[in-house]
Amino acid sequence: MFSITKIFSQTPRTLIGNAAGLLLTGLLASSAMMTSAQAADIATTYDNSCAACHDSGALNAIKKGDSAKWQQLIQQKGMPTLINSVKRGMSQMPAGGLCGNCDDDDYRQLIDYMSK
Ligand code: HEC
């Protein structure tokens, strides 16, 4: 532990500065990406991911706008279960529903969006 501290304390400041700068840039870039993905219009995310099946009802997917069916499903299984279904995938639905960067809240909003 002591020797590690010593190495760090002996490393030229500029080097640490550059490394920290790089790290910070990386963090900022990735958090900016996260924010834009989360802030992205749910409608756009739907169009890019879920619409492939849920717009047309392909493979027997529950159609967007079929509120009766969606409400029934939400009541029967509950939102957390539905979110997990999408994340794990189902017999016909690929895990994640073709959305590479959706989090739980995105899925909740997407399901909500489809149910209207
Ligand atoms: C490749 C086609 C396909 C895509 C893409 C897809 N789904 Fe599905 N989804 C299905 C099918 C088909 C079902 C019906 C269950 C089954 O047979 O797999 C389904 C079922 C569901 C269910 C019901 C789960 C349950 O437990 O009954 C939810 C919720 C859902 N999809 C949400 C989404 C969301 C949100 C997206 C986009 C992020 C998405 N799906 C993308 C095909 C798809």
Side-chain angles (χ1 to χ4, degrees), residues 45-46 49-54 58-62 70 73 77 81-83 85-86 89-94 96-99 102 106-107 110-111 114:
T45 311
Y46 169 80
S49 320
C50 327
C53 304
H54 287 277
L59 309 168
N60 269 333
I62 314 101
W70 278 112
L73 203 61
K77 295 193 173 180
T81 308
L82 295 184
I83 292 170
S85 300
V86 190
M90 293 188 80
S91 53
Q92 307 274 16
M93 175 162 59
L98 298 185
C99 180
C102 285
D106 293 324
Y107 287 131
L110 285 166
I111 295 168
M114 282 199 273

Side-chain angles (χ1 to χ4, degrees), residues 21-32:
L22 276 177
L23 194 69
L24 198 66
T25 317
L27 281 176
L28 283 178
S30 59
S31 71

Side-chain angles (χ1 to χ4, degrees), residues 33-43 45-46 49-50 79 83 86-87 96 99-114:
M33 269 162 59
M34 285 287 291
T35 320
S36 67
Q38 275 161 4
D41 201 6
I42 281 299
T45 311
Y46 169 80
S49 320
C50 327
M79 194 51 104
I83 292 170
V86 190
K87 287 204 294 191
C99 180
N101 55 3
C102 285
D103 61 16
D104 284 17
D105 198 55
D106 293 324
Y107 287 131
R108 187 187 52 73
Q109 289 185 56
L110 285 166
I111 295 168
D112 191 60
Y113 177 76
M114 282 199 273

